[in-house]
Amino acid sequence: MGSLSDSDPDFWDLGEDGGGKTAHRKRGRLKKSKGFPKFPPNISDNLNKENSDVLPNINDKEEVKVPEFMNKRARQKKDNEDLIERQNILHENREEDREGGNNERENDASTGEESDNLNESERNSQQKEREEGSGSSSDSSKRTSLLSGSDLPHDSPKDAALTDESAKSSKCSGIDSQWLVEEYLLPPQQKLKLALYRGRKLLAAKEADGAVREFIRAQALARIVHGDQHWRYCRCKVFLAQTYLYLKDYAPQGEAQAQEALDTINTHLSTDLAPSKKPQVHHTLLWGYLITGEARIKLDQFIGAQEALSLALYHTRIYSRMVSRRKKKLTPSLTMDRALDLQVKVLCAQATLHSKRRKYLKAREKLELSIKTIESSGTGVDDPGLVGPLQQLGQLLLNHGQTDQDAEAGLKYLARAVHITQVSNRPGSVAECEARGLLVEHQLRLRRTDIKEALRELHKLGLLYSRLHGEQSPKTLAIHSLTIQVLVQEEDYEQAIQQLRTRLKHCRDAYGDYSSQVCGVLRQLSRVHALSGDLSAAASALDQCLQVETLIYGSSSRRAQASHLRLQEMIQKLPLSVRMKMYRKHPELQNKPRFRNI
């Protein structure tokens, strides 16, 4: 069935009396187009009426250039209208075939239906345009709300601050809550806040590479927003130095970053770039001096470390005084630390410096002072800030104690630290595992615990460390080494050999077949086989160790020469058949030195 349209010549051949080719053609609904009135299907009857003056002048309409995106919307709208009109034409034709004719009442009803359908199509097209304007990529995984901060975790202490600041800066706060923008579309100031938050979050989780990446990004954004002489830019450098020193153990890099930040702030102190009345500036200064002092301790620069730590203690007192006098209290968070924790941290760093210089009494006084300070000004005897000073004081008494009472006191301090970690953290936390491992290590060294209980504790710690850090982490391997030492002391060589083989597999997976870690495990495996009486297995393990050391260090290195001599001595104790095999494999071992008569 053909339908009438603008391009059909029969449409223009309609006479005044309604004649033409359409008299013998089946009536159909007209297609809507721009510039034409809405005709019902019975065109001849309508032309006889007095509505002919409603027809517009089509030729007077100017051609307007429509943009490409509007043409797309027009095409979509036209497709929707065509689909609706096609369905209506089919429905009307079925009604005409069933009823056999149409009267004027039916024509009026069809006209009403047409207008309703057209209005519905227009509403659908408008809704589609609104959806296109709001953005079609609603399933994007990286969405960030300018007000709610949906990209941040809900337990963030900075969510409220971000919400308040962005709400103040927005002009239409009622509408802005519905805006969802991609992160790369945020202004640099918002990007700086997000980078600092993520970096501090990774720093607290001890993820070194991610924290370094975020702090470097924050440093670049701070230079864009505030300039390279502002204290906020220096704060980013101090955070980066903190990550280098505490997580990566890069003392020179940490000292360099902290020293640059200190020089910049001290140059512009008491100005708009670094106002001295702002507690955040002194917070940045004390962290910079603290990192510089601890880095210099690791580099054995004791005089410079003492000066830096004394300045850090000075700024700590200023910071605590300013925070206590402040009307609006600064809540401890990832941004601002508690003044008491910073003071204790500086005292512990000074104790480390005194112990490095072998002034153990002064180191003990500093640690006892820090413990008393936390107990008096903190949350009580179970304050989490007590864990670090208690462990440091316990190790000082155990390693450099002069009497048995000092050793007992050191074990009590370590046990108290374990209790505080169990109270203040969830079961199986990293702090609890580290405290328990330190206590078991010193108990085994002093033989103050039962071997079976110690082995059970080491087995639990090995499982927890492998779950927290992985099988190939240094901390997990250290627990395995301690377990092997206990098994060797108890002469349980079979279990020790099984542990060593498991550790050898993990070392090869983590470091490769030719590494120093694999050499150490093979050397230890050879010793345990020799203690168990299996000299052939001991010689085989030592032979593998010699091959790896030769490839790594060379045949003339000290390690390879020592393994060479040890293997030569061990071959002489082997049975004849095994000895000949080893000699065929290493012919240089059977060459005896020439006898020289004096």
Side-chain angles (χ1 to χ4, degrees):
M1 180 188 68
S3 59
L4 297 176
S5 63
D6 310 352
S7 59
D8 195 351
D10 296 338
F11 183 85
W12 303 102
D13 291 341
L14 295 173
E16 294 182 359
D17 56 348
K21 296 181 181 180
T22 56
H24 304 286
R25 186 177 294 182
K26 204 168 189 179
R27 291 189 299 271
R29 188 180 301 276
L30 293 176
K31 188 174 181 180
K32 181 184 176 183
S33 60
K34 293 183 180 180
F36 293 93
K38 300 175 182 178
F39 286 103
N42 195 354
I43 301 172
S44 59
D45 296 335
N46 281 291
L47 289 176
N48 292 330
K49 297 180 181 180
E50 297 178 358
N51 294 331
S52 60
D53 54 346
V54 186
L55 290 173
N57 192 358
I58 305 173
N59 298 325
D60 296 341
K61 192 173 181 180
E62 298 179 357
E63 293 182 2
V64 182
K65 293 184 179 180
V66 184
E68 186 178 356
F69 70 94
M70 294 184 65
N71 288 335
K72 292 181 180 178
R73 295 177 184 174
R75 284 198 298 271
Q76 291 177 359
K77 184 176 179 181
K78 190 175 180 180
D79 294 339
N80 294 333
E81 292 173 357
D82 290 343
L83 180 61
I84 295 171
E85 288 173 0
R86 223 175 283 119
Q87 293 176 356
N88 292 334
I89 289 172
L90 292 175
H91 180 68
E92 239 178 54
N93 291 333
R94 289 171 185 171
E95 287 183 354
E96 289 175 358
D97 294 339
R98 185 173 60 253
E99 295 175 0
N102 292 330
N103 51 16
E104 293 182 357
R105 189 177 301 172
E106 290 176 350
N107 292 334
D108 296 335
S110 64
T111 307
E113 290 178 0
E114 180 187 1
S115 61
D116 292 339
N117 291 327
L118 292 176
N119 292 332
E120 185 179 356
S121 65
E122 290 177 359
R123 286 196 298 271
N124 292 333
S125 62
Q126 290 176 1
Q127 184 178 1
K128 198 164 187 179
E129 291 176 0
R130 285 197 299 269
E131 290 178 357
E132 291 177 357
S134 62
S136 60
S137 59
S138 60
D139 56 343
S140 178
S141 60
K142 293 184 178 179
R143 294 288 188 183
T144 305
S145 175
L146 288 176
L147 291 180
S148 60
S150 60
D151 191 46
L152 304 178
H154 294 291
D155 58 346
S156 164
K158 292 293 291 176
D159 285 347
L162 285 176
T163 305
D164 296 339
E165 292 180 5
S166 56
K168 291 178 183 177
S169 62
S170 61
K171 296 181 180 179
C172 304
S173 59
I175 307 173
D176 288 344
S177 60
Q178 301 176 358
W179 289 357
L180 293 176
V181 251
E182 299 290 345
E183 185 179 343
Y184 63 86
L185 295 177
L186 290 176
Q189 191 171 3
Q190 295 289 337
K191 289 182 180 180
L192 174 61
K193 291 181 181 180
L194 289 175
L196 282 175
Y197 174 77
R198 290 170 182 166
R200 290 190 294 265
K201 198 78 172 173
L202 293 170
L203 179 63
K206 296 183 179 181
E207 296 183 11
D209 296 333
V212 168
R213 183 173 60 251
E214 292 297 333
F215 285 137
I216 290 175
R217 183 181 292 115
Q219 184 176 343
L221 290 168
R223 178 179 291 176
I224 295 172
V225 177
H226 304 288
D228 57 353
Q229 296 179 350
H230 200 271
W231 67 270
R232 295 181 185 274
Y233 172 75
C234 299
R235 184 181 61 168
C236 296
K237 293 184 76 68
V238 167
F239 280 133
L240 183 59
Q242 191 175 354
T243 308
Y244 279 145
L245 182 64
Y246 296 139
L247 299 185
K248 305 286 284 186
D249 201 14
Y250 295 164
Q253 288 85 344
E255 184 193 6
Q257 293 287 336
Q259 195 62 41
E260 289 178 8
L262 291 174
D263 294 340
T264 305
I265 293 181
N266 289 326
T267 303
H268 304 282
L269 196 61
S270 301
T271 61
D272 294 337
L273 295 174
S276 58
K277 295 183 179 180
K278 203 171 186 64
Q280 287 89 344
V281 175
H282 292 281
H283 178 267
T284 306
L285 283 171
L286 73 91
W287 265 113
Y289 283 118
L290 178 60
I291 292 169
T292 303
E294 291 185 355
R296 287 175 179 174
I297 289 172
K298 291 187 176 182
L299 296 173
D300 295 335
Q301 302 174 5
F302 299 135
I303 298 176
Q306 186 176 0
E307 296 176 358
L309 291 177
S310 61
L311 289 171
L313 189 60
Y314 168 73
H315 285 287
T316 304
R317 291 168 182 167
I318 296 177
Y319 172 71
S320 60
R321 194 184 310 122
M322 295 178 70
V323 169
S324 61
R325 293 178 181 177
R326 193 180 177 91
K327 293 182 180 179
K328 185 178 179 181
K329 300 298 181 181
L330 291 174
T331 57
S333 63
L334 292 175
T335 310
M336 305 300 294
D337 299 302
R338 195 170 59 165
L340 179 63
D341 296 336
L342 294 173
Q343 184 179 357
V344 170
K345 195 167 184 63
V346 174
L347 290 174
C348 292
Q350 288 181 343
T352 305
L353 176 61
H354 289 312
S355 61
K356 280 269 189 178
R357 303 174 88 173
R358 297 183 180 180
K359 298 179 180 180
Y360 302 117
L361 291 177
K362 289 186 177 180
R364 183 173 180 178
E365 291 176 1
K366 291 288 184 182
L367 291 172
E368 289 177 352
L369 177 61
S370 64
I371 292 172
K372 290 179 182 178
T373 304
I374 295 177
E375 289 177 349
S376 59
S377 303
T379 58
V381 294
D382 292 336
D383 195 308
L386 285 168
V387 176
L390 286 173
Q391 289 181 348
Q392 192 171 352
L393 182 57
Q395 287 181 310
L396 180 66
L397 294 175
L398 288 168
N399 296 329
H400 305 288
Q402 299 177 357
T403 60
D404 294 338
Q405 295 179 358
D406 294 340
E408 292 292 337
L411 290 177
K412 287 182 181 179
Y413 285 132
L414 293 180
R416 184 181 173 188
V418 172
H419 172 71
I420 293 174
T421 55
Q422 290 175 347
V423 170
S424 59
N425 296 294
R426 57 177 178 79
S429 62
V430 177
E432 180 188 353
C433 292
E434 291 179 355
R436 287 167 60 182
L438 188 62
L439 177 61
V440 170
E441 180 182 355
H442 286 284
Q443 284 177 347
L444 289 171
R445 186 172 63 85
L446 297 174
R447 298 181 182 274
R448 302 295 177 87
T449 183
D450 188 16
I451 299 299
K452 293 183 179 180
E453 293 180 0
L455 286 175
R456 282 197 294 268
E457 182 70 13
L458 288 172
H459 179 67
K460 293 178 183 178
L461 289 174
L463 293 177
L464 289 173
Y465 270 104
S466 61
R467 192 177 303 165
L468 291 171
H469 305 290
E471 293 286 349
Q472 295 86 11
S473 66
K475 295 182 178 180
T476 309
L477 296 178
I479 292 294
H480 288 167
S481 299
L482 191 59
T483 307
I484 292 165
Q485 291 178 8
V486 176
L487 291 172
V488 170
Q489 289 177 3
E490 292 298 310
E491 297 182 356
D492 191 357
Y493 300 120
E494 294 182 1
Q495 292 292 332
I497 290 170
Q498 290 181 3
Q499 291 285 336
L500 281 171
R501 286 174 178 171
T502 305
R503 185 180 176 185
L504 179 62
K505 180 179 178 299
H506 293 324
C507 285
R508 282 176 173 170
D509 293 340
Y511 304 105
D513 294 336
Y514 304 103
S515 60
S516 58
Q517 291 82 4
V518 172
C519 291
V521 177
L522 287 171
R523 198 180 298 112
Q524 193 174 3
L525 184 62
S526 174
R527 292 172 185 170
V528 176
H529 276 301
L531 289 173
S532 63
D534 193 356
L535 295 178
S536 60
S540 176
L542 190 58
D543 181 24
Q544 296 178 20
C545 178
L546 178 60
Q547 292 178 6
V548 176
E549 286 177 346
T550 303
L551 289 173
I552 295 175
Y553 307 107
S555 59
S556 60
S557 63
R558 292 183 179 180
R559 297 186 182 184
Q561 291 293 331
S563 300
H564 192 277
L565 293 175
R566 198 178 300 115
L567 182 60
Q568 188 175 8
E569 294 175 0
M570 193 175 294
I571 286 176
Q572 295 176 2
K573 300 178 183 179
L574 293 175
L576 183 59
S577 58
V578 182
R579 191 189 315 166
M580 296 306 296
K581 289 181 181 179
M582 296 299 294
Y583 279 151
R584 284 193 295 269
K585 189 174 183 180
H586 299 279
E588 70 277 1
L589 296 179
Q590 60 183 347
N591 295 332
K592 297 181 181 181
R594 296 176 61 184
F595 177 77
R596 292 182 181 181
N597 191 8
I598 299 175

